[in-house]
Amino acid sequence: MTSRSLKIALAVSVALNVFAAAAVGAVWVARDKIEHRVAEAHKPGRREPVWDVIERMDPAVRDQVKTQLRAAAMQARPDFDEARAARREAIALTGAESFDPVAVAALLERSRASEARGRSRLETGAVETLRQLSPADRKALAPILSRHKPRRDARKPDKAEKAAVPVAAAEARP
């Protein structure tokens, strides 16, 4: 073999080894992510999404449950809209030149009260819907009374966190 062919063979060998190492690394990372997701799904207290449970119900019951839960959500929607509007107004007042802490506190209180009214309407509708179901269906749908959304992957920041990072970085600059 000539030195040129040896150099070509060496370059091909290095390229194949780099490709193989990258493939092994990708498989390892993917396997780790899958194992993490499976472990998260099997943590105590962790359940599948409620809408997935509803989709597996008997079609007649499923349609009734969906209709009733949507109706309760639509009744609560104005309260949640009012809560968001009051909070946006409080944020706007906070950023204004003249800061009025009393007005901001009042808007935040109004926002909390509106949110509590909306939550109450949602929960009342959910309880009424659950009252009409069989014990097995009630047990499966009990998580709808939870006050918290299912946890998202902690490694991925949500939109609010992504938006907050540049602001925090800008404030840290001299």
Side-chain angles (χ1 to χ4, degrees):
M1 287 184 90
T2 65
S3 67
R4 182 169 189 234
S5 61
L6 283 175
K7 288 178 185 176
I8 292 173
L10 179 63
V12 169
S13 175
V14 167
L16 286 174
N17 284 327
V18 168
F19 178 75
V24 168
V27 168
W28 180 67
V29 168
R31 185 184 55 85
D32 188 43
K33 284 183 181 180
I34 290 169
E35 287 176 358
H36 178 73
R37 287 182 187 156
V38 168
E40 283 291 316
H42 289 92
K43 279 188 176 179
R46 187 82 174 174
R47 303 231 172 149
E48 64 185 313
V50 175
W51 287 111
D52 289 350
V53 174
I54 291 173
E55 287 300 322
R56 287 196 315 268
M57 297 175 92
D58 177 51
V61 175
R62 177 185 61 221
D63 294 341
Q64 174 191 359
V65 167
K66 282 183 174 181
T67 302
Q68 290 176 341
L69 291 178
R70 278 193 188 110
M74 292 307 291
Q75 286 178 342
R77 186 176 188 167
D79 294 319
F80 289 118
D81 289 343
E82 181 183 342
R84 281 190 294 277
R87 191 158 296 269
R88 279 193 300 270
E89 193 175 340
I91 292 168
L93 281 179
T94 301
E97 287 294 321
S98 60
F99 177 65
D100 184 1
V102 174
V104 171
L107 285 167
L108 293 174
E109 179 59 37
R110 190 174 99 202
S111 174
R112 284 190 299 271
S114 297
E115 189 172 344
R117 271 194 317 275
R119 180 159 297 284
S120 176
R121 287 183 189 192
L122 280 176
E123 290 169 350
T124 301
V127 169
E128 182 58 30
T129 301
L130 291 170
R131 182 185 66 80
Q132 301 168 12
L133 298 176
S134 70
D137 288 340
R138 261 195 322 270
K139 182 177 181 181
L141 291 178
I144 65 175
L145 297 177
S146 172
R147 290 189 56 135
H148 302 287
K149 292 180 181 178
R151 287 187 171 159
R152 61 177 178 77
D153 190 347
R155 294 175 293 175
K156 296 179 184 174
D158 64 11
K159 291 178 186 173
E161 289 172 346
K162 285 180 183 176
V165 170
V167 173
E171 290 173 355
R173 290 185 195 137

